[in-house]
Amino acid sequence: MRAKLVGNASAAAAIREAGLFDADFYRREYPAAVAGGADPLKHYLSSGWKLGLEPSAKFSMRAYSGKNPDVRGATLNPLIHWVEFGRREMRELPTSPEPDYAWMERDRPYPLPDDVIQYELVAGHAYFAGAGFDFGQREAGNGVAEAVKAMAARVPAFTVDLSTPKVSIIIPVYGQAHFALNCLDSLARLQSRYSIEVIVADDASPASSQTEALGGIPWIRYERRAANGGFLECCNWAVAQARGEFVVLLNSDTRVAAGWLDELVAAFDLFPKAGMVGSKLFNADGTLQEAGGIFWRDGSAHNYGRNADPNLPQYCFARQADFISGASIAVRKTVWNELGGFDPEYKPAYCEDADLAFRLRRAGYEVWFVPTSRAVHYEGITHGRDTTKGIKAYQVTNLQKLAKRFSAELTEHPIPGSSSMRAACWRSKRNILIVDALTPTPDQDSGSIVTNEVMSAYRQAGFGESFFPEHSPYWSKKYTAALQRRGVCCYYKPFFESVEQVLDVDNAFDYALLYRYNVAHPIYRSLRAKAPATRVLFANVDLHYLRETRAAETANDMQALFAAQLTKKKELEMFAHADASFIHTQFEQEVIQKALPLPLDNLVVLPWIAEVYRETPGFSARADVMFLGNFPHTPNVDSVLFFVKSIWPELLPSLPPHAKLLVVGNKPPAEVLALASDRVIVTGFVEELEPYFQASRVFVAPLRYGAGIKGKLVTALAHGVPSVATNIAAEGIAHAQDEHLSIADDPLQFASEVLRIYGDESAWNCMREAGLRYVEDNYSRAATSKICLHALNVADKTWLARQELQCQRSLEKIMRENGLLDAARTD
């Protein structure tokens, strides 16, 4: 640091002046730390900060440490650092780790998926220290009564419902009250959209363990068995008493991270066939404990990813697993009852969770690993790790029982010694690599919506999917995680910085879908070299060179016209290279075929994809005119500026005074923001488009240049908003005589059409219905799925034909070099 930190006395004065230490908060959160009347601030300054204890609700030292690796690396008191240096350096004053839970490193100033676990590890140490417990002790010792009293006074962040909860969280307990309290501490902080009952199921723990004291916590159900029966029997007994629709079994020696429960429950909606889902488990040092389990063909088991870096992409996406550790699993109670719970054959413990997974599959269900549900598991606390003695010995004998019971199923499993990365995903018989410039942002641009739909179509067809964002290979909590929770393996820094690095680790892709020529063209040859059997599909989104040419002609920019010609060369080369190409309109197909020396027979027309919204407000409930566009795309900027300058003034005298122009779209530049007035609303990015569509009577798409199908128009028609568009905007969607869209290029004619539709309820209703029917007939998900699969067949056929041709040419060359070809012809 640039200056030495002040001493404790000066620090105490500075902290008091800043108002960032709360003695009452400190006593309440960490009663053992200030037992005997110790001064809270002195304790914090001498040792509390080293233990991860928070000073107040106004300053999170954990978040400050997480976001400032220089402070963490220098082992400095975060609060003192902020008071002395951080505020002068304009560093953020964090009150909570939420919402991003970033844990930066000096060489990694960007987030990764499991940063949140670092916070949970610190919180666990802080709880033990604040309650006076010791991680190294198998039993709690002194302090249980005081810790239970403090826990009883807590108000959980979730909704407690002990009568009709949505979720029952069951924590089996046998002694070790301090670990159970640590688990409850993490649950008390857990926010959830679901109502919850927490059942602590005590398997007749010895009185000396003090677990009966847990019954004094009013926001849990403490249930004690009359006699000890072991883990398996305790779980079955507790589930029988659970009242929730979902049952979650959670080991007492765990801590759960933010989002743990909601991610588990949401997985049942994402994967309708799921019978059981389970969390990603972490060791006490933050390394990976398990990302779902693998059973090899010989009946041996493997905790996938054990002790590895949990942020590696292969451990961060949802997938079907052979088994999930019972330390944190969720099951619908109806399904649990259908299967009869854990099989008593495995009493007292071990392999009951794996057996349930196999039986669920026999019954037609699936078992899913959910990496966005995270828990620290202090493994071995209950039964140790020695498999030669005690209850842990049952792990060996029960594994043998399971292998014998499911020997038929195991014949389909991977053989021992094969790649664990592929073995973990062996149920995906075919695999596809998808490469785009950026990670899809479906709430910001319509192209991302289509990309998501195409990816969904391949996943539903059984494909394992991998994704790499070539121009920005960073993990995003919002967008990358959305793909990961749906089962897409996403590659990102610092592990992967190029497609070539991805292919060095895994090149066993059946197909590669490359988006946009400026992504596909630079990586094409590397892809062919590293994965020669991979069939290449190309999706260009629109014809970039056509859009660039039109823009150059509109602006009379000769230099831009030259650049467009270079784009044309690269773009058409990719269409010629690819084994199959997606295009969105028949118009594009005709343009491409005319530009090539010979027409291609592997172009596949993939229309836009949209969901129809019929239950929306009628004519009289709407008043506004709407424009929609992603403004980093320059044709949208030109379009709205042109509309406001040349068309909007013609509309204003005839529109009611409360009617407004809604300019909706991501990242509007300064010139668009400057359009805002009492009649022109520039929204910027919005989370939901529906309210804006529902308020609008007419949608406008006055594009002067561009190419490809205009997703904004399809989206407007799908929302039942009659629309007026220029010919360029209408390309591939409508012709002048069609009923579902009005087309005009001249500004006065465009304004006249807007006013005609705006003022004629009968015409408006007719156009609305025609638009909805058009979308239903042409842009359904079912039709899209068929086209996506058809494209694979086209690619297979093209690849085989080209390979045969290359083979023949290679053989001819060899035979000619050896003098055989000419001799054969002479004979």
Side-chain angles (χ1 to χ4, degrees):
M1 302 310 300
R2 294 182 310 208
K4 185 178 179 180
L5 290 178
V6 297
N8 276 5
S10 299
I15 289 170
R16 286 194 182 98
E17 182 183 350
L20 296 178
F21 186 85
D22 184 337
D24 291 335
F25 169 91
Y26 201 76
R27 290 189 189 96
R28 184 173 60 253
E29 290 290 315
Y30 316 113
V34 291
D39 180 80
L41 182 52
K42 286 183 179 179
H43 181 274
Y44 173 75
L45 291 173
S46 64
S47 61
W49 72 272
K50 299 175 185 177
L51 299 170
L53 310 191
E54 295 283 27
S56 72
K58 296 180 180 179
F59 180 85
S60 171
M61 61 146 286
R62 297 169 197 167
Y64 192 78
S65 296
K67 294 182 179 181
N68 295 283
D70 57 331
V71 176
R72 193 172 71 245
T75 321
L76 301 175
N77 183 319
L79 180 52
I80 295 179
H81 182 272
W82 189 85
V83 169
E84 291 297 312
F85 306 112
R87 57 181 168 182
R88 280 187 288 150
E89 296 168 357
M90 305 300 290
R91 300 199 192 198
E92 179 187 353
L93 173 66
T95 58
S96 168
E98 299 178 39
D100 56 355
Y101 292 96
W103 192 268
M104 305 302 189
E105 301 291 349
R106 288 178 182 269
D107 59 348
R108 177 179 63 82
Y110 48 85
L112 286 176
D114 295 319
D115 281 355
V116 63
I117 284 298
Q118 298 301 325
Y119 289 93
E120 210 53 54
L121 292 171
V122 175
H125 283 285
Y127 180 76
F128 265 73
F133 297 140
D134 185 343
F135 267 107
Q137 292 182 341
R138 293 192 62 79
E139 293 299 342
N142 297 326
V144 171
E146 193 65 28
V148 167
K149 181 181 177 182
M151 192 67 69
R154 300 272 288 274
V155 178
F158 60 82
T159 300
V160 178
D161 186 342
L162 302 182
S163 56
T164 57
K166 181 74 171 181
V167 181
S168 297
I169 300 174
I170 295 173
I171 306 173
V173 169
Y174 184 74
Q176 300 167 339
H178 52 332
F179 278 94
L181 284 162
N182 182 46
C183 180
L184 291 173
D185 174 68
S186 68
L187 287 175
R189 303 173 190 275
L190 185 71
Q191 297 181 6
S192 175
R193 66 174 65 95
Y194 305 111
S195 59
I196 300 169
E197 68 168 349
V198 177
I199 301 175
V200 174
D202 192 336
D203 195 19
S205 301
S208 60
S209 69
Q210 307 176 69
T211 55
E212 289 186 84
L214 299 173
I217 302 172
W219 49 271
I220 70 169
R221 283 177 59 191
Y222 174 78
E223 304 286 351
R224 182 177 174 87
R225 286 169 56 79
N228 177 262
F231 176 82
L232 185 154
E233 194 173 286
C234 184
C235 288
N236 284 346
W237 173 81
V239 173
Q241 301 180 64
R243 298 162 184 156
E245 177 185 344
F246 295 93
V247 171
V248 180
L249 295 176
L250 180 66
N251 274 21
S252 61
D253 55 347
T254 59
R255 277 193 73 92
V256 302
W260 163 77
L261 180 64
D262 286 7
E263 293 287 348
L264 279 179
V265 177
F268 288 99
D269 290 328
L270 285 173
F271 311 113
K273 293 182 180 179
M276 178 167 69
V277 301
S279 303
K280 187 175 188 177
L281 300 179
F282 299 79
N283 294 315
D285 62 356
T287 58
L288 182 61
Q289 187 175 111
E290 179 193 305
I294 299 172
F295 261 97
W296 303 109
R297 192 172 297 177
D298 64 358
S300 59
H302 172 57
N303 297 114
Y304 182 49
R306 190 172 187 85
N307 299 326
D309 185 334
N311 288 300
L312 282 164
Q314 60 264 38
Y315 306 128
C316 293
F317 68 98
R319 65 172 209 288
Q320 290 192 61
D322 293 344
F323 71 96
I324 300 289
S325 170
S328 177
I329 57 175
V331 187
R332 289 185 189 273
K333 190 175 181 184
T334 54
V335 174
W336 176 277
N337 292 340
E338 177 187 340
L339 274 289
F342 289 147
D343 190 337
E345 179 71 17
Y346 295 90
K347 288 174 57 176
Y350 293 109
C351 294
E352 70 285 331
D353 44 11
D355 174 83
L356 180 59
F358 275 84
R359 287 190 289 123
L360 280 164
R361 280 189 288 272
R362 278 187 176 179
Y365 296 102
E366 296 171 346
V367 176
W368 281 84
F369 162 65
V370 182
T372 45
S373 171
R374 304 174 177 93
V376 178
H377 182 210
Y378 305 98
E379 188 182 37
I381 295 300
T382 306
H383 297 135
R385 297 186 177 183
D386 189 343
T387 59
T388 65
K389 61 183 180 180
I391 292 179
K392 193 73 174 176
Y394 284 95
Q395 185 171 330
V396 176
T397 57
N398 283 353
L399 191 61
Q400 295 168 350
K401 290 180 185 178
L402 185 141
K404 182 177 181 180
R405 173 179 283 187
F406 299 104
S407 58
E409 285 91 336
L410 288 170
T411 59
E412 301 294 323
H413 285 230
I415 59 174
S418 56
S419 164
S420 61
M421 188 172 172
R422 275 295 171 197
C425 305
W426 69 269
R427 288 179 175 80
S428 296
K429 302 303 183 185
R430 295 192 292 177
N431 295 280
I432 184 169
L433 170 65
I434 298 161
V435 186
D436 202 345
L438 305 171
T439 302
T441 54
D443 57 352
Q444 295 187 24
D445 64 278
S446 55
S448 291
I449 296 174
V450 174
T451 301
N452 268 3
E453 292 286 353
V454 170
M455 293 175 70
S456 177
Y458 286 125
R459 286 197 306 276
Q460 291 184 16
F463 274 84
E465 281 187 337
S466 296
F467 178 82
F468 184 74
E470 175 72 13
H471 292 172
S472 184
Y474 294 97
W475 180 83
S476 160
K477 182 176 182 179
K478 183 174 184 179
Y479 299 112
T480 312
L483 295 178
Q484 290 172 323
R485 65 170 51 93
R486 285 166 172 78
V488 181
C489 180
C490 299
Y491 293 95
Y492 40 77
K493 289 184 176 183
F495 310 107
F496 298 91
E497 299 190 10
S498 67
V499 170
E500 287 78 9
Q501 290 181 343
V502 173
L503 294 171
D504 285 340
V505 171
D506 184 6
N507 68 348
F509 295 105
D510 299 278
Y511 303 93
L513 172 55
L514 311 181
Y515 277 89
R516 304 169 215 279
Y517 84 93
N518 56 342
V519 171
H521 198 275
I523 67 173
Y524 173 76
R525 295 196 183 281
S526 293
L527 175 61
R528 288 295 199 198
K530 291 178 179 290
T534 298
R535 280 77 80 200
V536 175
L537 295 95
F538 175 51
N540 208 32
V541 183
D542 68 10
L543 282 178
H544 295 66
Y545 83 83
L546 182 60
R547 168 165 45 82
E548 291 174 9
T549 299
R550 288 170 170 174
E553 291 172 349
T554 300
N556 195 27
D557 185 340
M558 188 58 66
Q559 193 61 37
L561 202 59
F562 294 152
Q565 192 64 24
L566 295 176
T567 298
K568 179 179 181 179
K569 175 179 179 293
K570 293 178 181 178
E571 207 162 10
L572 293 176
E573 283 177 350
M574 271 314 304
F575 282 112
H577 280 314
D579 297 313
S581 296
F582 285 121
I583 52 177
H584 286 304
T585 68
Q586 193 69 37
F587 172 82
E588 284 184 341
Q589 185 175 36
E590 293 170 0
V591 170
I592 294 166
Q593 300 290 33
K594 288 179 181 178
L596 293 168
L598 291 172
L600 293 170
D601 62 358
N602 62 347
L603 301 183
V604 178
V605 178
L606 176 69
W608 216 249
I609 304 156
E611 179 183 352
V612 165
Y613 297 81
R614 284 192 169 273
E615 302 301 321
T616 56
F619 177 86
S620 61
R622 303 164 179 258
D624 298 328
V625 175
M626 180 178 174
F627 175 94
L628 174 65
N630 182 37
F631 287 109
H633 190 57
T634 53
N636 290 324
V637 177
D638 174 83
S639 177
V640 74
L641 293 176
F642 164 68
F643 182 84
V644 172
K645 178 182 178 181
S646 303
I647 300 173
W648 183 241
E650 301 296 327
L651 299 178
L652 277 174
S654 301
L655 292 176
H658 62 282
K660 296 178 175 59
L661 172 63
L662 306 179
V663 179
V664 182
N666 181 49
K667 298 179 181 177
E671 59 267 38
V672 174
L673 292 172
L675 301 176
S677 68
D678 59 337
R679 299 293 297 274
V680 178
I681 309 301
V682 181
T683 68
F685 170 76
V686 296
E687 289 285 350
E688 298 290 340
L689 291 173
E690 281 78 6
Y692 298 92
F693 280 121
Q694 292 181 12
S696 301
R697 191 176 291 181
V698 179
F699 182 85
V700 294
L703 286 174
R704 296 198 298 168
Y705 62 89
I709 196 167
K710 308 306 177 294
K712 60 177 70 66
L713 261 180
V714 176
T715 305
L717 297 176
H719 281 82
V721 186
S723 304
V724 182
T726 58
N727 273 287
I728 285 178
E731 276 179 359
I733 297 176
H735 300 287
Q737 68 273 17
D738 291 336
E739 296 179 353
H740 61 273
L741 184 66
S742 179
I743 301 175
D745 286 331
D746 177 74
L748 293 179
Q749 184 185 359
F750 197 108
S752 176
E753 280 300 291
V754 171
L755 291 174
R756 178 183 69 81
I757 298 165
Y758 190 97
D760 187 337
E761 184 171 1
S762 177
W764 187 90
N765 284 325
C766 288
M767 281 194 71
R768 167 187 163 89
E769 181 58 33
L772 291 170
R773 283 200 312 271
Y774 173 77
V775 174
E776 287 172 336
D777 292 343
N778 293 278
Y779 303 117
S780 70
R781 285 192 173 98
T784 297
S785 295
K786 291 180 181 178
I787 293 170
C788 287
L789 295 178
H790 168 67
L792 304 183
N793 294 331
V794 172
D796 289 345
K797 181 180 177 181
T798 303
W799 186 90
L800 287 170
R802 290 175 175 179
Q803 288 299 309
E804 181 62 29
L805 178 61
Q806 291 175 20
C807 179
Q808 290 300 317
R809 287 177 175 173
S810 177
L811 293 174
E812 288 175 5
K813 180 181 178 182
I814 294 171
M815 294 178 73
R816 188 174 290 110
E817 289 173 349
N818 293 334
L820 298 175
L821 188 61
D822 291 339
R825 286 182 173 176
T826 300
D827 293 343

